[in-house]
Amino acid sequence: MKYLLTHQESERLLFRKLEHSDFDKWLHLFEDEETAKMLGMSEYKNTNECCEKWFEWTFHRYENNLGGQNVLISKESQQLVGQCGLLVREVENNFEIEIAYSILKEFRGQGYAIESAKKCRDFAFENNFHNRLVSIIIPENHASKNVALKNGMKFKKQINYSNKKMDLFEITKQEWETQLL
């Protein structure tokens, strides 16, 4: 599971794998219809079905070395605040690694998404996983676009992904190295 940040940490967050016991906490993410839409989950009937599908996808990724989102635990409160991770994707017939993030509503606006996304970016480039990283974002999701920009990414283009128009943001390893100087 080389793409997972299990046992990693950032200034305020601990990273670990998703566990079945997290279900009830994560269920709250899908109670907000707007969040479900931004995560591409609006086709599912209810919050329980959304969460079941999310867990199914996550565990499938873990089992097949396709990365996956890590649970983010606040070091201060020990609460689950969200998820962030590296996802192996095929985008326009190319192998890509996506930085993906989702923060529970009550913890948004506190910098957890950008802190965890930067940790994923650094981890991926330090371990030479790929020469570029992407984030694939629904065009209306301005908060996620802001996180991508703060993570050093730039808007590349709009793509058709999973039969939807999506915005593709990217950062190359060379751009990341230049930012470090």
Side-chain angles (χ1 to χ4, degrees):
M1 298 200 221
K2 80 178 199 180
Y3 301 108
L4 293 177
L5 280 81
T6 308
H7 307 299
Q8 296 291 312
E9 61 183 77
S10 61
E11 182 182 340
R12 300 178 297 154
L13 298 168
L14 301 171
F15 290 69
R16 69 161 168 80
K17 287 173 61 176
L18 184 69
E19 299 168 355
H20 290 286
S21 61
D22 296 322
F23 190 89
D24 288 339
K25 293 175 194 146
W26 200 244
L27 191 63
H28 297 294
L29 181 76
F30 301 109
E31 290 173 350
D32 175 29
E33 288 181 28
E34 187 66 18
T35 298
K37 178 184 170 193
M38 294 299 162
L39 294 173
M41 304 293 289
S42 53
E43 68 188 77
Y44 299 100
K45 295 178 190 142
N46 56 50
T47 56
N48 207 58
E49 191 174 310
C50 286
C51 200
E52 285 172 359
K53 197 65 176 167
W54 188 275
F55 272 55
E56 178 185 318
W57 290 336
T58 301
F59 291 122
H60 172 80
R61 289 186 159 287
Y62 288 175
E63 292 162 9
N64 292 283
N65 201 31
L66 298 171
Q69 292 199 50
N70 304 271
V71 170
L72 306 172
I73 303 294
S74 164
K75 288 180 180 179
E76 182 181 331
S77 69
Q78 299 303 305
Q79 290 180 290
L80 188 156
V81 300
Q83 292 184 26
C84 185
L86 301 169
L87 310 179
V88 175
R89 299 265 194 209
E90 184 178 320
V91 179
E92 298 181 324
N93 300 313
N94 293 312
F95 165 80
E96 301 287 356
I97 297 179
E98 178 185 14
I99 299 174
Y101 34 86
S102 307
I103 304 298
L104 292 170
K105 192 172 188 169
E106 61 268 30
F107 297 105
R108 292 182 191 154
Q110 298 177 41
Y112 291 123
I114 186 59
E115 181 178 332
S116 59
K118 284 181 176 180
K119 177 66 178 179
C120 288
R121 176 201 64 197
D122 296 348
F123 184 80
F125 284 140
E126 287 166 357
N127 287 284
N128 296 309
F129 291 156
H130 204 288
N131 62 351
R132 88 169 182 161
L133 301 170
V134 301
S135 284
I136 303 167
I137 302 171
I138 289 177
E140 309 87 75
N141 192 341
H142 300 292
S144 284
K145 289 180 182 184
N146 287 335
V147 171
L149 293 170
K150 288 178 182 176
N151 201 15
M153 294 181 154
K154 295 179 182 138
F155 174 77
K156 175 74 172 172
K157 63 182 176 176
Q158 197 164 73
I159 61 171
N160 187 11
Y161 189 78
S162 296
N163 298 316
K164 297 174 192 155
K165 291 282 183 204
M166 304 291 276
D167 289 343
L168 180 76
F169 286 76
E170 72 171 4
I171 184 171
T172 66
K173 187 170 184 183
Q174 184 178 9
E175 290 167 337
W176 171 73
E177 289 170 339
T178 301
Q179 291 175 6
L180 293 177
L181 299 178

